Amino acid sequence: YGGMGLDFSYNIAVAEELGNIRCGGIPMAIGVQAGMTTPALTRFGSDELKKQFLVPTIAGDFVACLGISEPGAGSDVANIKTTAVRKGDEYVINGGKMWITSGSQADWMCLLANTSEGPPHQNKSLICLPMNLPGIHVAKKIDKLGMRSSDTAQIFFEDVKVPSKNLIGEEGKGFTYQMLQFQEERLWGVATVLAPLETLIQETIDYTRQRKVFDRSVLHNQTVHFRLAELATEVELLRSLLHRAVALHVEGNDVTKFASMAKLKAGRLAREVTDSCLQFWGGMGFTSEVLVSRFYRDLRLMSIGAGTDETMLSIICKYMEILPSK
């Protein structure tokens, strides 16, 4: 279908390299296109669907977006309300999606919707939804704290009709398919923060070495150079966990626990590194003129998007068999 047929470790190599872009929005947009909207289509989609949607997406002729989150269902995917009701050889879609990356410019959406009244983990399906159909309303481009170069949309569906052949895989398996997509999405996200964090640490070293306070460099203070050493160590530990999880994933193992641990750690470490480094930049760190303030805003999303820190903790507890039953 136009791809190179490489395994997932190459996605992660690309994601790590994209971290050298000096903002978070562009790697995120590429990640949505390459590793978040397409895995389910690639694994479970019909040949016809792949030719219609996957080929132009890989070629870069189509922009794709992922339609999961809703105003009342972000990390709680099982609680989505959007419906796709089967009528003849069509689905009729009603509802809305929120926080959709690339939503204002997307050519198609990988949409998760309720296709039956059954249990919440068994009543959802993934559908390839062309974004030029009647009844699709892109309400607004959302103004965000960070990732400001990224187009994030709120979208409504009003009696949108899509052919039933646009169903990815089996009806009712959408939640399961999406959970598989999430693992790759989370690993991609972890990979994209490594280079920014290393860059921030190095730029902070360079700045504090030349910045003088009380007749000596800021870096000369033990609290500064020790803290930077701690942060550099944490970044290396995160990289090791990521690479272990990716290697296991490529071998066909379930890496849900390790991916959740890596995502949790990446979100928290992104906050820790950006906050600590910004502090060492002093007043300059509070301006929009330096990279540290941009990443302070951009990387804050790491603890929220693709599942919050608290959701990651719940998943880890489930795999440790310590999550209380309802």
Side-chain angles (χ1 to χ4, degrees):
Y1 301 97
M4 296 173 70
L6 303 172
D7 68 47
F8 183 69
S9 65
Y10 289 85
N11 287 45
I12 294 301
V14 169
E16 285 195 46
E17 192 62 34
L18 289 174
N20 289 301
I21 296 171
R22 294 171 72 86
C23 80
I26 294 170
M28 180 172 69
I30 296 171
V32 168
Q33 181 93 347
M36 301 174 199
T37 60
T38 50
L41 175 58
T42 304
R43 286 194 188 99
F44 306 109
S46 65
D47 182 61
E48 183 182 354
L49 272 188
K50 288 177 186 177
K51 286 177 178 173
Q52 184 179 352
F53 294 99
L54 186 60
V55 169
T57 302
I58 289 173
D61 296 326
F62 276 8
V63 173
C65 67
L66 183 62
I68 307 296
S69 295
E70 299 179 4
S75 294
D76 183 10
V77 175
N79 198 38
I80 65 165
K81 305 300 183 191
T82 297
T83 59
V85 178
R86 185 78 174 262
K87 292 186 178 178
D89 59 356
E90 292 180 323
Y91 286 106
V92 180
I93 299 165
N94 283 282
K97 295 294 176 180
M98 185 74 166
W99 305 298
I100 306 304
T101 300
S102 303
S104 296
Q105 59 180 310
D107 295 287
W108 71 280
M109 173 186 285
C110 179
L111 171 75
L112 186 70
N114 297 312
T115 47
S116 73
E117 296 287 336
H121 296 100
Q122 298 166 29
N123 73 337
K124 293 170 176 54
S125 303
L126 284 175
I127 298 168
C128 290
L129 178 67
M131 290 294 286
N132 59 355
L133 296 176
I136 297 177
H137 308 288
V138 179
K140 64 176 180 178
K141 181 179 174 182
I142 299 167
D143 187 15
K144 306 183 299 297
L145 169 71
M147 301 291 195
R148 298 182 68 83
S149 65
S150 172
D151 144 30
T152 308
Q154 182 176 15
I155 300 168
F156 295 105
F157 310 112
E158 186 177 353
D159 293 331
V160 179
K161 295 176 181 176
V162 63
S164 56
K165 66 181 182 180
N166 283 26
L167 176 73
I168 296 174
E170 296 179 46
E171 191 170 285
K173 291 288 185 70
F175 185 87
T176 302
Y177 295 163
Q178 185 50 47
M179 290 304 106
L180 291 171
Q181 281 195 149
F182 268 149
Q183 301 324 313
E184 296 193 352
E185 177 177 350
R186 287 162 184 165
L187 291 170
W188 172 284
V190 173
T192 61
V193 303
L194 295 173
L197 297 184
E198 287 181 324
T199 298
L200 286 185
I201 291 168
Q202 187 56 53
E203 289 203 358
T204 302
I205 290 169
D206 295 341
Y207 180 76
T208 55
R209 176 174 280 132
Q210 59 86 23
R211 174 75 169 156
K212 294 285 195 297
V213 176
F214 303 121
D215 295 327
R216 63 181 183 181
S217 73
V218 173
L219 186 62
H220 184 86
N221 293 281
Q222 188 182 71
T223 188
V224 176
H225 55 252
F226 271 19
R227 183 62 177 146
L228 293 169
E230 287 175 342
L231 295 173
T233 303
E234 293 286 326
V235 173
E236 281 305 321
L237 290 168
L238 178 60
R239 174 179 279 111
S240 295
L241 174 57
L242 170 67
H243 289 176
R244 183 183 182 197
V246 170
L248 289 168
H249 181 58
V250 169
E251 291 169 3
N253 297 289
D254 177 10
V255 294
T256 304
K257 183 173 82 167
F258 285 151
S260 301
M261 287 176 167
K263 164 75 166 61
L264 172 70
K265 184 62 179 176
R268 291 186 167 179
L269 188 57
R271 292 152 68 183
E272 199 176 349
V273 171
T274 56
D275 188 65
S276 293
C277 288
L278 191 148
Q279 182 68 23
F280 296 152
W281 282 74
M284 276 304 296
F286 204 66
T287 72
S288 297
E289 297 178 22
V290 290
L291 186 65
V292 66
S293 66
R294 181 175 207 170
F295 278 135
Y296 182 87
R297 291 181 288 106
D298 282 2
L299 299 187
R300 185 61 180 82
L301 182 63
M302 192 68 203
S303 281
I304 301 169
T308 61
D309 284 0
E310 293 73 22
T311 303
M312 296 305 101
L313 286 165
S314 293
I315 293 169
I316 296 163
C317 288
K318 181 180 176 183
Y319 275 80
M320 293 174 66
E321 299 183 347
I322 58 173
L323 189 67
S325 56
K326 292 180 180 177

